C-alpha cells in the first residue's frame, strides 16, 4: 500500500473508503462492511443486556434470547441479506448453515460474541469473523481471504485484514468506523504475556516457557476474553497469548475455525505468528467444526521460544 492511506489524504478515512483505496475486491468489501455494521447491532444488544443488569426490564416482558444466541441470529440474518455468503458456520450452531443460493463465493465463520460470560463483569468482549473462499474444511492458509474482529470495550474498535496488512478502525459518535491505525506492525519481541489454562495441568515445556517469560520480566495481561487479550498484544505491538494443551483437554480450549484461524490470519498480517507448538495454525487442515488446538500467538520471538521449550522438553 506504499506510503499509507493516511499520508496522502487530509480527510477522515472511513472503512469503506479505506477498503476501496486498499484495492479490496468489491464483494469482499461490501461483505466486510456489512459485518462491521452488524457489530453496531450486537453492541446495542450488549447495551440492552447491561440495562437489564442495571435493573431495567424488557419493555414488553418478552423472554430474551441469550446474548450469544441473539448475536448469532443478528449476524446470520445480516449475512443472508448481504447476498454474498453461501455458508455460515458459527460457534453457536452445531452444523454449517446454508444461507445462500449455492452460487455465492464466500463462506463465513463466526464467534458472534466471544467471552460473553464477561458481560456482567463489564470487561471487554468481541466478535471474531473468518472469511473463506471455496470451503472452510481446508487449511486456513489456502482458504482464507479475510478476517476481522470487533472489540466491545470503552470504545468499539474493529481490526480487519483482507490479506494486505491489518488495520484498526474506531466507531465514532456518528456511527462511522474511522481509521485509527493502518498497517499495524508488531515488534519482533514484546513485553507482555497472556497465559490461559491452569499451570499445574500443563506440560513441563509449557511451564518452563512461562518461567522463562517471568524471568525476563514480562508483564501478565490476561482478561479471560480472547478478543481483548489479542487486541492488547496487537495494539501494544507485541507479546504472546497462549492457551496450551492441558491434562483434560490435550487439544486446548480454543476453536480453530471460530477463534484461532481468524486471529492467526490478522496477527500474521501484522508481522506476528501463531502455532500449536509445532505447526503454524494456518497450515493445519480443518476436519471438524469443533476442532480445537493449543495455541501460542503473538510476536515472532516469543512464539519461537515457546516452540523451543516445548520441543526440548518433549525430547
Ligand atoms: O473461548 C472462550 C474464552 O472465553 C476465550 O475468549 C478466552 O480466551 C478463554 O475462553 C478463557 O478461558 P479461561 O476461562 O479458561 O481462562
Amino acid at each position: 500500500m506504499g506510503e499509507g492511506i493516511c499520508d496522502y489524504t487530509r480527510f477522515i478515512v472511513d472503512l469503506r473508503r479505506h477498503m476501496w483505496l486498499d484495492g479490496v475486491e468489491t464483494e469482499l468489501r461490501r461483505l466486510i462492511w456489512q459485518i462491521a455494521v452488524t457489530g453496531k447491532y450486537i453492541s446495542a444488544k450488549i447495551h440492552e443486556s447491561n440495562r437489564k443488569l442495571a435493573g431495567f426490564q424488557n419493555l414488553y416482558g418478552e423472554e430474551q434470547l441469550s446474548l450469544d444466541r441473539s448475536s448469532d441470529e443478528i449476524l446470520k440474518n445480516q449475512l443472508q441479506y448481504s447476498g454474498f455468503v453461501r455458508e455460515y458456520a458459527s460457534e453457536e450452531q452445531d452444523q454449517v448453515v446454508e444461507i445462500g443460493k449455492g452460487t455465492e463465493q464466500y463462506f463465513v465463520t463466526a464467534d458472534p460474541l466471544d467471552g460473553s460470560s464477561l458481560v456482567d463483569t463489564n470487561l471487554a468482549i468481541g466478535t471474531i469473523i473468518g472469511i473463506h473462499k471455496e470451503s472452510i474444511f481446508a487449511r486456513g492458509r489456502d482458504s482464507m481471504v479475510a478476517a476481522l474482529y470487533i472489540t466491545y470495550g470503552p470504545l468499539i474498535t474493529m481490526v480487519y485484514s483482507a490479506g494486505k496488512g491489518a488495520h484498526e478502525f474506531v466507531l465514532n459518535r456518528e456511527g462511522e468506523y474511522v481509521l485509527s491505525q493502518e498497517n499495524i506492525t508488531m515488534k519482533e519481541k514484546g513485553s507482555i504475556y497472556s497465559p490461559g489454562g491452569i499451570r499445574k495441568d500443563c506440560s513441563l515445556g509449557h511451564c518452563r516457557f512461562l518461567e522463562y517469560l517471568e524471568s525476563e520480566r514480562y508483564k501478565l495481561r490476561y482478561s479471560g476474553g480472547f478478543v481483548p487479550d489479542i487486541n492488547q498484544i496487537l495494539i501494544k505491538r507485541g507479546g504472546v497469548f497462549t492457551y496450551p494443551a492441558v491434562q483434560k483437554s490435550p487439544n486446548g480450549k480454543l476453536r480453530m475455525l471460530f477463534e484461532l484461524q481468524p486471529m492467526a490470519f490478522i496477527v500474521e498480517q501484522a508481522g506476528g505468528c501463531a502455532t500449536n507448538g509445532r505447526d503454524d495454525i494456518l497450515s493445519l487442515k480443518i476436519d471438524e467444526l469443533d476442532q480445537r488446538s493449543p495455541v501460542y500467538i503473538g510476536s515472532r520471538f516469543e512464539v519461537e521460544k515457546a516452540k523451543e521449550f516445548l520441543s526440548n522438553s518433549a525430547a
Side-chain angles (χ1 to χ4, degrees):
M1 195 175 347
E3 290 187 316
I5 288 164
C6 269
D7 303 335
Y8 58 79
T9 175
R10 286 159 191 251
F11 303 104
I12 287 176
V13 177
D14 81 351
L15 175 60
R16 275 196 286 190
R17 188 169 150 84
H18 185 273
M19 290 192 288
W20 182 73
L21 290 168
D22 204 12
V24 180
E25 188 253 322
T26 312
E27 285 200 358
L28 184 57
R29 208 164 70 213
R30 293 192 178 147
L31 176 57
I32 293 175
W33 187 76
Q34 183 75 50
I35 296 168
V37 169
T38 307
K40 297 191 211 176
Y41 307 143
I42 294 179
S43 123
K45 276 279 164 201
I46 300 169
H47 187 71
E48 210 176 273
S49 111
N50 285 344
R51 280 172 59 84
K52 267 189 11 204
L53 277 176
F56 293 89
Q57 294 302 318
N58 173 0
L59 200 56
Y60 308 104
E62 297 158 335
E63 197 189 318
Q64 297 279 293
L65 285 178
S66 73
L67 254 185
D68 310 66
R69 283 185 50 214
S70 46
S71 306
D72 183 52
E73 275 298 302
I74 295 171
L75 193 53
K76 181 164 65 74
N77 291 339
Q78 291 296 317
L79 291 174
Q80 192 155 25
Y81 295 142
S82 79
F84 303 128
V85 182
R86 194 181 314 177
E87 289 179 5
Y88 173 66
S90 157
E91 206 252 345
E92 290 300 311
Q93 316 258 355
D94 43 19
Q95 284 179 350
V96 176
V97 187
E98 283 177 27
I99 57 174
K101 297 191 178 84
T103 49
E104 301 78 0
Q105 49 174 336
Y106 296 112
F107 297 73
V108 171
T109 67
D111 190 344
L113 204 56
D114 187 76
S116 57
S117 64
L118 298 175
V119 166
D120 56 359
T121 64
N122 206 18
L123 280 165
I125 52 178
T127 297
I128 311 174
I129 303 287
I131 304 177
H132 302 244
K133 265 192 169 171
E134 313 288 338
S135 167
I136 57 169
F137 294 105
R139 285 174 186 80
R141 203 174 294 296
D142 300 333
S143 64
M144 290 190 79
V145 291
L148 66 95
Y149 68 84
I150 301 171
T151 311
Y152 311 99
L155 291 175
I156 295 179
T157 60
M158 200 269 308
V159 173
Y160 91 91
S161 175
K164 287 191 207 161
H167 318 289
E168 186 201 48
F169 293 76
V170 178
L171 192 64
N172 70 10
R173 282 198 186 181
E174 284 72 42
E176 298 157 329
Y177 281 99
V178 296
L179 182 62
S180 45
Q181 308 197 43
E182 190 177 36
N183 287 322
I184 299 169
T185 309
M186 292 172 70
K187 290 181 284 197
E188 181 71 17
K189 184 171 188 273
S191 55
I192 57 177
Y193 75 121
S194 192
I198 293 174
R199 203 175 294 200
K200 76 178 174 62
D201 298 338
C202 299
S203 70
L204 185 61
H206 181 81
C207 294
R208 290 206 170 135
F209 171 56
L210 297 186
E211 282 158 17
Y212 165 79
L213 296 175
E214 285 154 6
S215 71
E216 293 290 309
R217 305 179 67 79
Y218 277 69
K219 288 190 182 166
L220 175 66
R221 295 286 186 269
Y222 188 77
S223 74
F226 189 47
V227 173
D229 286 341
I230 291 292
N231 190 53
Q232 177 159 211
I233 287 170
L234 262 186
I235 300 305
K236 297 290 184 192
R237 305 292 193 267
V240 62
F241 174 98
T242 167
Y243 209 110
V246 288
Q247 263 161 28
K248 272 202 237 146
S249 327
N251 289 328
K253 176 177 185 187
L254 302 186
R255 293 165 184 84
M256 285 288 290
L257 270 177
F258 309 120
E259 292 161 309
L260 299 182
Q261 278 191 339
M263 289 308 200
F265 188 91
I266 292 171
V267 164
E268 278 198 7
Q269 285 294 322
C273 53
T275 171
N276 62 0
R278 206 186 56 204
D279 301 313
D280 284 355
I281 291 293
L282 292 180
S283 72
L284 301 171
K285 181 164 181 295
I286 302 293
D287 296 310
E288 290 166 27
L289 269 189
D290 191 41
Q291 195 165 316
R292 294 167 196 241
S293 169
V295 66
Y296 298 81
I297 175 169
S299 328
R300 293 194 164 271
F301 175 83
E302 290 85 349
V303 173
E304 284 307 319
K305 268 278 168 224
K307 282 161 82 172
E308 230 174 271
F309 276 101
L310 294 170
S311 70
N312 288 344
S313 303

